[in-house]
Structures are given as C-alpha cells and as structure tokens.
Amino acid sequence: MLLLAMDTATPAVTVALHDGESVVAASGQVDARRHGELLLPAVDRVLKEAGLTLDAVTGLVVGVGPGPYTGLRVGLVTAATFGSALGVPVHGLCTLDGLAYASGLDEPFAVATDARRKEVYWARYDNSRTRVTDASVDRPADIAEGLAGLPVVGAGARLYPDAFPDARDPEHQSAAALAALAAEKLAAGEAGGFLEPLPMYLRRPDAQVPKNYKVVTPT
C-alpha cells in the first residue's frame, strides 16, 4: 500500500505519503491564497523525499471539506486527475475528521475551522475517530452554548476565543493524519467508511451572478 493524501480545504496546503504502516514523507504550508500554486510542488517534494515516483501510488486520499469553493476544488481535481491517470481509487474523507484524528483526544470535543464571513465549519466528536454530527456552518456565538465545556480543535477555536475558550491543537490540517486515518480504515476493511471525492461546500460560492444581469452579446 502506498497512499498519496492531500487536502486544500483549509489555508493549509498539505500532502503526505503513507505506506500502510507509517507516514514516509509529508509537506504542509499555510497560505490561503496559493493552493493551486503550492499543491503540485508539494506532491513532487514528498515523492522525492521518499525516493518514489507517482506510479508507485496505489491509492489517493483527499479531504472533501467543508471548505471555501476555490481552495477546496484544487485538491479534489488534482486527486481525481491522479486517480484517473494511475487507475487507482480515490478515497474521500471529511477534512474535519483529519483534524479530529490528529488531536488524539479520547473524550467528547468539537472541531472548528475558519469558514470566513465570521462563521466556522464544525462538527462534534465522541473521540478522535468518531464523529457524531454532520459537518455544519454557523456563527460561533450561535453554537457556543451547545459546545460549552468541550475542547475545540482547529483554527476556528483560536479565531473566536470568546465562543471557544478551550482551544486545542492541531490548529491546521495535516495530510499525514488524513492518510493515517485512511490507512487504518483500509486495514480494518472499512472501505465503506469513505466519502465520494466530491466537494462538501455547505453553502453557495462567494462569487454570484449579479441580479438584473444584462446580456450584451448579440442574440
């Protein structure tokens, strides 16, 4: 097994290789505006670090979000393209699940990432492997009471300390954690535990066609 994992649903552009037992190479860079520019060099970098070529990959793992439209689709399109070219499966995982898994927490907690517009993407967990709610998008003040007393993992907790006073690491997504979670599921025969590699947006894109749009092309 050699899994190539990637996630661009958050400001972190992150890539990792996992051989079924451990992470053999990983790269992560936080830059919310350069997903398309940074992802392929990161893939090249981890392959070189591991001394491998792309055709050695037996499966792709990709974070499906939730996340902003522009960044999220970079990772999904890249994973789909690699999967098609190599003839290998593409396994989707919720981005929040990667952060939860990396936390290692064995108690109820939540994960919150920055959704912009003064909102967070979030979900609640019983432990680092078990999500108990669907991913949602809300204003921090609207969910603070429901999450009171719980640790909250991720950048969303650090952005809104009044709503989430018990912020926990990791702050940013790691493809290494996503790959390890996927390898664990595959080893346990939990292939049905993956999502379709399709974007989880939760809301409409920021870019909208203006109302009262006037067509100026000839009819």
Side-chain angles (χ1 to χ4, degrees):
M1 179 190 299
L2 184 67
L3 299 175
L4 174 62
M6 61 188 72
D7 197 317
T8 59
T10 72
V13 180
T14 178
V15 178
L17 283 170
H18 197 290
D19 66 4
E21 295 184 0
S22 63
V23 174
V24 295
S27 172
Q29 191 168 347
V30 178
D31 192 326
R33 299 182 180 276
R34 299 174 63 208
H35 294 87
E37 180 181 344
L38 296 174
L39 181 58
L40 289 179
V43 171
D44 187 54
R45 189 160 54 250
V46 298
L47 287 168
K48 286 182 178 178
E49 182 180 334
L52 297 167
T53 56
L54 188 60
D55 58 8
V57 170
T58 61
L60 278 295
V61 181
V62 63
V64 302
Y69 176 79
T70 304
L72 176 55
R73 64 180 178 172
V74 171
L76 285 163
V77 169
T78 301
T81 301
F82 284 164
S84 178
L86 298 170
V88 300
V90 181
H91 307 293
L93 285 173
C94 176
T95 293
L96 303 180
D97 290 356
L99 282 157
Y101 186 84
S103 76
L105 291 173
D106 194 25
E107 61 183 287
F109 68 100
V111 172
T113 61
D114 183 16
R116 304 175 186 172
R117 302 184 190 174
K118 297 182 180 180
E119 294 178 329
V120 293
Y121 296 119
W122 70 281
R124 188 166 177 164
Y125 293 78
D126 271 350
N127 54 58
S128 62
R129 292 172 173 80
T130 309
R131 177 160 44 87
V132 293
T133 66
D134 291 334
S136 301
V137 59
D138 289 287
R139 290 183 177 272
D142 294 340
I143 59 174
E145 183 176 352
L147 300 181
L150 293 180
V152 182
V153 171
R158 300 191 183 279
L159 280 171
Y160 303 101
D162 290 343
F164 312 121
D166 188 3
R168 301 287 184 92
D169 289 333
E171 182 177 356
H172 296 293
Q173 174 69 312
S174 162
L178 208 65
L181 176 59
E184 186 177 288
K185 287 180 177 291
L186 290 170
E190 298 178 10
F194 294 105
L195 302 172
E196 290 293 320
L198 300 172
M200 185 188 299
Y201 290 131
L202 301 188
R203 67 185 183 200
R204 297 178 64 83
D206 290 333
Q208 301 286 335
V209 175
K211 292 182 179 180
N212 303 317
Y213 179 71
K214 183 178 180 180
V215 177
V216 296
T217 53
T219 58

